[in-house]
Amino acid sequence: MVTARSSITCIAAVTALVLLCLGSVGCNRSPSSTSAGTTKDQGSISNTITSQHPSPGTETTNTANSEPTTIPTAIPTADPTQVTPTPAQTGYSALLAAYLADPVHGDNVGARALWLNSGDWHNACVYVASEALRQVGCAIPQQTNYTPVLMQQLADRGFSKHTDLSALQPGDICFTTDEKGRSDGIPTHTFIFLGWAGEGEMNIFDNQMYDYGSLYHPRLAGLSNYMDDPDRPKEATAFFMRSAP
């Protein structure tokens, strides 16, 4: 015979079991994401100055934060397959020349640099040069984004400074004058020299996709204006840095 006390005990047990099951359903829900993008690795060195082109002190930012899954469809206007290190050339400069001879490698560098600069080609020249160097084993910190900082990073790794542009070799890292044309000021731009396109005109690799539609394009060694527009100057090349043998 079932007593009243037994009935109450059974009802309590069933109620507890139901409550336990309901609680376990809630625990199995996947936690919602709290971040829309991937956090950038800031590395061990912090650079507090964040602009390098066209003028120090400003930086354009947008909301593209995710790791690139595709590469830009940049078609070189110069012929990068003709970029070859000279017989006497060694070190990272020679490695850069050989690496960037393949435009697919150049596109990969561009995609990574674009992501590091939040999806903006402007103010990305140091990101492009630094990423190319990292791809050939030169450990420039990932957050490097300012021309004087890149210059110091190169000097710390045995790169030497040269002002005789006639001695340029593929893979050399070039720096321009400042906005006032001074060679001893803060360079407004940096790029990688790939070869001579003609007298006074270089084939280079840089970030200026917004002007040329390609990371590979010609650039005059001296001061010039893009499309003859005085509001869009291309400062003269002041010097270059070359890796130690």
Side-chain angles (χ1 to χ4, degrees), residues 53-54 179 210-211 223-235:
H53 178 78
E179 290 179 318
Y210 48 84
D211 280 341
L223 175 65
S224 63
N225 294 319
Y226 180 72
M227 301 294 289
D228 296 322
D229 184 349
D231 292 328
R232 301 176 72 181
K234 304 292 183 182
E235 281 79 13

Side-chain angles (χ1 to χ4, degrees), residues 14-93:
V14 170
T15 301
L17 180 61
V18 170
L19 291 174
L20 178 61
C21 290
L22 289 174
S24 66
V25 170
C27 291
N28 287 335
R29 183 178 302 159
S30 298
S32 60
S33 174
T34 59
S35 175
T38 304
T39 302
K40 298 177 188 176
D41 175 16
Q42 294 302 311
S44 59
I45 299 176
S46 175
N47 297 333
T48 58
I49 307 176
T50 57
S51 141
Q52 77 289 351
H53 178 78
S55 62
T58 60
E59 179 177 353
T60 304
T61 304
N62 72 24
T63 58
N65 294 328
S66 58
E67 182 85 42
T69 56
T70 59
I71 59 176
T73 55
I75 301 175
T77 53
D79 184 0
T81 61
Q82 299 304 310
V83 180
T84 55
T86 62
Q89 195 175 355
T90 58
Y92 289 123
S93 297

Side-chain angles (χ1 to χ4, degrees), residues 81-176:
T81 61
Q82 299 304 310
V83 180
T84 55
T86 62
Q89 195 175 355
T90 58
Y92 289 123
S93 297
L95 292 173
L96 270 180
Y99 183 78
L100 293 175
D102 185 341
V104 173
H105 292 163
D107 285 346
N108 289 336
V109 168
R112 179 67 181 174
L114 187 64
W115 176 74
L116 288 170
N117 199 41
S118 301
D120 192 354
W121 287 115
H122 293 83
N123 300 326
C125 62
V126 174
Y127 282 122
V128 169
S130 298
E131 182 60 30
L133 285 160
R134 285 191 290 272
Q135 291 296 321
V136 297
C138 186
I140 303 297
Q142 183 170 279
Q143 74 274 20
T144 302
N145 62 359
Y146 189 49
T147 49
V149 177
L150 177 59
M151 290 160 55
Q152 186 60 55
Q153 292 287 348
L154 295 176
D156 290 346
R157 287 159 178 78
F159 283 66
S160 54
K161 180 178 177 180
H162 306 268
T163 57
D164 180 5
L165 300 187
S166 67
L168 273 164
Q169 295 179 354
D172 289 337
I173 311 297
C174 296
F175 294 86
T176 66

Side-chain angles (χ1 to χ4, degrees), residues 75-83 103 194 197 202-204 214 216-218:
I75 301 175
T77 53
D79 184 0
T81 61
Q82 299 304 310
V83 180
L194 300 179
M202 304 172 286
N203 285 328
I204 72 165
S214 174
Y216 296 87
H217 60 86

